[in-house]
Amino acid sequence: MQKDDAVVHTPGLMGGISSLMKSLFGLVVSRLELAALELSEVRNHLIELVALFGAAILAIWFAIAYGTATIVALAWDEMGWKILLILFVVFLVITGVLVAKGLALLKQDKLSFPATMKELKNDRDMLL
C-alpha cells in the first residue's frame, strides 16, 4: 500500500455533533428571522386596528357632542324626551357597526404568525 492512496475519513462523533449543532443553530436563526418578519406585519395590522378604534371613538364623541345638541334643540318642541331615546338607539347602532368591523379584522387572523407556526410544526414533526 502506498502513502498517497486516498483514505476517506468519516467524521467522528465530535464532527457529527458539531455538524448537528451548526444545523440546529441555522434552523433556529432562520425561524427567528421568519418570526421577526411576521412580527413586523402583525405590528402594522395592530397599529391599523388601534387607529380604526381611535377614529371610531373620536367620531362617536363628535357625533354625540354636535349632532345630539342640534337635533335635540330642533326636535324638542314636537317630540320632547323621545328624541333623546331615538338618538341613543342611533348611536348605539353606529357603535355596534364599528365594533363589528374591528372584530372582523381580528377574525381575519392578521395578528397571527401563520408561516412561523407552520414551519415550527414541520420542524417538530421532522424531529419527532
Side-chain angles (χ1 to χ4, degrees), residues 85-96:
L85 182 62
I86 291 170
L87 288 173
F88 169 75
V89 171
V90 167
F91 290 127
L92 191 64
V93 168
I94 291 170
T95 302

Short mmCIF file of all heavy atoms in Angstrom, two decimals, residues 85-96:
data_model
loop_
_atom_site.label_atom_id
_atom_site.label_comp_id
_atom_site.label_asym_id
_atom_site.label_seq_id
_atom_site.Cartn_x
_atom_site.Cartn_y
_atom_site.Cartn_z
N LEU A 85 -84.20 59.32 23.25
CA LEU A 85 -84.19 57.87 23.10
C LEU A 85 -83.83 57.46 21.67
O LEU A 85 -83.05 56.52 21.46
CB LEU A 85 -85.57 57.31 23.48
CG LEU A 85 -85.71 55.79 23.42
CD1 LEU A 85 -84.75 55.13 24.40
CD2 LEU A 85 -87.15 55.39 23.72
N ILE A 86 -84.37 58.16 20.70
CA ILE A 86 -84.06 57.87 19.29
C ILE A 86 -82.56 58.07 19.03
O ILE A 86 -81.92 57.22 18.39
CB ILE A 86 -84.91 58.74 18.35
CG1 ILE A 86 -86.37 58.31 18.43
CG2 ILE A 86 -84.41 58.66 16.91
CD1 ILE A 86 -87.34 59.25 17.74
N LEU A 87 -82.00 59.15 19.51
CA LEU A 87 -80.57 59.40 19.30
C LEU A 87 -79.71 58.36 20.01
O LEU A 87 -78.68 57.94 19.48
CB LEU A 87 -80.20 60.81 19.77
CG LEU A 87 -80.72 61.93 18.88
CD1 LEU A 87 -80.44 63.27 19.52
CD2 LEU A 87 -80.09 61.85 17.51
N PHE A 88 -80.15 57.92 21.16
CA PHE A 88 -79.43 56.86 21.86
C PHE A 88 -79.35 55.60 21.02
O PHE A 88 -78.29 54.99 20.86
CB PHE A 88 -80.11 56.57 23.20
CG PHE A 88 -79.60 55.33 23.87
CD1 PHE A 88 -78.35 55.32 24.49
CD2 PHE A 88 -80.35 54.16 23.87
CE1 PHE A 88 -77.88 54.18 25.10
CE2 PHE A 88 -79.88 53.01 24.48
CZ PHE A 88 -78.64 53.02 25.10
N VAL A 89 -80.46 55.19 20.42
CA VAL A 89 -80.50 53.99 19.59
C VAL A 89 -79.63 54.16 18.35
O VAL A 89 -78.89 53.24 17.96
CB VAL A 89 -81.96 53.64 19.22
CG1 VAL A 89 -82.01 52.53 18.17
CG2 VAL A 89 -82.75 53.25 20.45
N VAL A 90 -79.68 55.33 17.72
CA VAL A 90 -78.87 55.58 16.53
C VAL A 90 -77.39 55.45 16.85
O VAL A 90 -76.64 54.76 16.14
CB VAL A 90 -79.19 56.98 15.94
CG1 VAL A 90 -78.15 57.38 14.91
CG2 VAL A 90 -80.58 56.98 15.33
N PHE A 91 -76.94 56.06 17.93
CA PHE A 91 -75.52 55.99 18.28
C PHE A 91 -75.12 54.59 18.74
O PHE A 91 -73.98 54.17 18.54
CB PHE A 91 -75.17 57.04 19.33
CG PHE A 91 -75.21 58.44 18.79
CD1 PHE A 91 -75.96 59.41 19.41
CD2 PHE A 91 -74.52 58.78 17.63
CE1 PHE A 91 -76.01 60.70 18.92
CE2 PHE A 91 -74.56 60.06 17.13
CZ PHE A 91 -75.31 61.02 17.77
N LEU A 92 -76.03 53.88 19.33
CA LEU A 92 -75.75 52.50 19.71
C LEU A 92 -75.54 51.63 18.48
O LEU A 92 -74.62 50.79 18.44
CB LEU A 92 -76.91 51.97 20.56
CG LEU A 92 -76.69 50.64 21.26
CD1 LEU A 92 -75.58 50.78 22.28
CD2 LEU A 92 -77.97 50.20 21.94
N VAL A 93 -76.33 51.82 17.44
CA VAL A 93 -76.17 51.07 16.19
C VAL A 93 -74.82 51.41 15.54
O VAL A 93 -74.10 50.51 15.07
CB VAL A 93 -77.34 51.34 15.23
CG1 VAL A 93 -77.07 50.81 13.83
CG2 VAL A 93 -78.62 50.74 15.79
N ILE A 94 -74.48 52.69 15.50
CA ILE A 94 -73.20 53.10 14.91
C ILE A 94 -72.03 52.45 15.66
O ILE A 94 -71.09 51.93 15.04
CB ILE A 94 -73.07 54.64 14.91
CG1 ILE A 94 -74.05 55.25 13.92
CG2 ILE A 94 -71.64 55.06 14.57
CD1 ILE A 94 -74.16 56.76 14.02
N THR A 95 -72.11 52.46 16.97
CA THR A 95 -71.06 51.83 17.77
C THR A 95 -70.98 50.34 17.48
O THR A 95 -69.89 49.77 17.35
CB THR A 95 -71.32 52.07 19.27
OG1 THR A 95 -71.39 53.47 19.50
CG2 THR A 95 -70.23 51.46 20.12
N GLY A 96 -72.12 49.68 17.36
CA GLY A 96 -72.14 48.24 17.05
C GLY A 96 -71.49 47.94 15.70
O GLY A 96 -70.74 46.96 15.57
#
